[in-house]
Amino acid sequence: MPTTTTAPTLAKTSRLALSELSADIMQSEIRAMSVECDRIQGINLAQGVCDTEPPAPVVEAAIAAIRSGHNIYTRLDGIAPLRAAIAQKMAHYNRLTCNPESGVLVTAGATGAFFAACMALLNPGDEALLFEPFYGYHRNTLTSLRIKPVTVLLDAPRWELDVDRLKRAITPKTRALVINTPCNPSGKVFTRKELEAIAELAQQHDLLVITDEIYEYFLCDSTEHISFASLPGMAERAITMSGFSKTFSVTGWRLGYLAADPRWIPAIGYFHDLSYVCAPAPLQHGAAAGLLQLSDDFYSGLAKDYQGKRDQLVDALTAAGLTPSIPEGAYYILADASRLPGATAKQKARTLLANCGVAAVAGSAFFTEGRGENLLRFCYAKRPAPLAEACERLAGLNF
Ligand code: PLP
């Protein structure tokens, strides 16, 4: 029999309370939709969980590493073979020269990389520019470190950079700019011309540029991925972040990395150590094997496969009257949900889930207050069968 106990109540004079920051922190809308979707056993196109099969060499090497005893802390910047493989990949794919001994940090996902980089390089009260629509973790990480995110709106459906708008957002407190290319949620891929315009402003205003390139291999229609740090003179002021969550379909492994000028790495590494100590040891071996053993065909196959999924979902959304903005990269689609009943995007997402059992995320999760209320974000990083089922349900949407 369970015993019932009365919870002791805190004295009225107690000073125990949530922090000031906690008042603004809540469960992300993406997670909330996933919970709701699980409850009704719907198809989850809300969260970018990427439930496709990880590549065999990655899995095999991780298992072998566990069996052969690679289960202890690693050097704080990661194991040497992985740092070497990342430096090689950076040179080959990103056109970036970095020293594996001093210019690479293996992290607990790109998430850990961003957190540690902000801790090491920005101060409370600084302003950081963020393009809108934005990835919520970027904004919330900045806010939680008491750095002020200042958003610069990009307009649908092409999300082109408006340089004047960007210039107007710069103030004497602006210290950094965050670029996410290819972008979650818009699928925008920044062009060389846009990056050059940003580089000119970064130089002029002495800004740090933090780039999140986690979707660098998810490119459609021959779009080219360009790393900001590869532009002339930009390597010193750029932090280039990426990771294995998406490319190797291992979102739960928590494995990412950043490349930066060697003068920034020790402090970033220290803050990363403070929160995470190191990235998971055996999984680092898995990622190293993947980088070394998978050929360019793997990456081009990935892009082709995902372009097919994009086209499939674009067709279904178009048939449903939810006009999509067609992404050039990443694996999300922002679609116009004006025709769905509901005053807000959250209500529209719930109406859609109730009507056809497909979960999407309210567009408002990616915009500042009042924007994105007619948009829903759909993720197509799914296995073929559930994606086909979701597309069928969407195409048959009945309102
Ligand atoms: N950055 C962006 C833009 C993302 O969309 C995501 C995941 O959805 C992440 C980072 C998370 O990356 P990681 O799993 O490496 O922390």
Side-chain angles (χ1 to χ4, degrees), residues 45 47-51 182-185 187 215 218 245-247 249 251 306 309-310 313 327 329-333 377-382:
L45 302 193
Q47 202 169 10
V49 283
C50 195
D51 58 4
C183 175
N184 171 11
Y215 298 103
F218 295 82
S245 283
K246 316 289 175 173
T247 309
S249 306
T251 51
Y306 275 78
K309 292 180 182 193
R310 176 200 69 170
L313 186 54
Y331 47 56
Y332 306 94
I333 299 178
R377 191 202 72 173
F378 295 83
C379 169
Y380 52 87
K382 300 297 288 183

Side-chain angles (χ1 to χ4, degrees), residues 48 108-112 135 138 180 184 212 214-215 242-246 251 254-256 332:
T111 308
Y135 171 57
H138 288 158
N180 176 208
N184 171 11
D212 181 340
I214 189 108
Y215 298 103
S242 192
F244 304 103
S245 283
K246 316 289 175 173
T251 51
R254 313 307 312 125
L255 206 52
Y332 306 94

Side-chain angles (χ1 to χ4, degrees), residues 47-69:
Q47 202 169 10
V49 283
C50 195
D51 58 4
T52 46
E53 217 45 63
V58 175
V59 173
E60 295 311 323
I63 294 170
I66 292 174
R67 295 224 162 96
S68 58

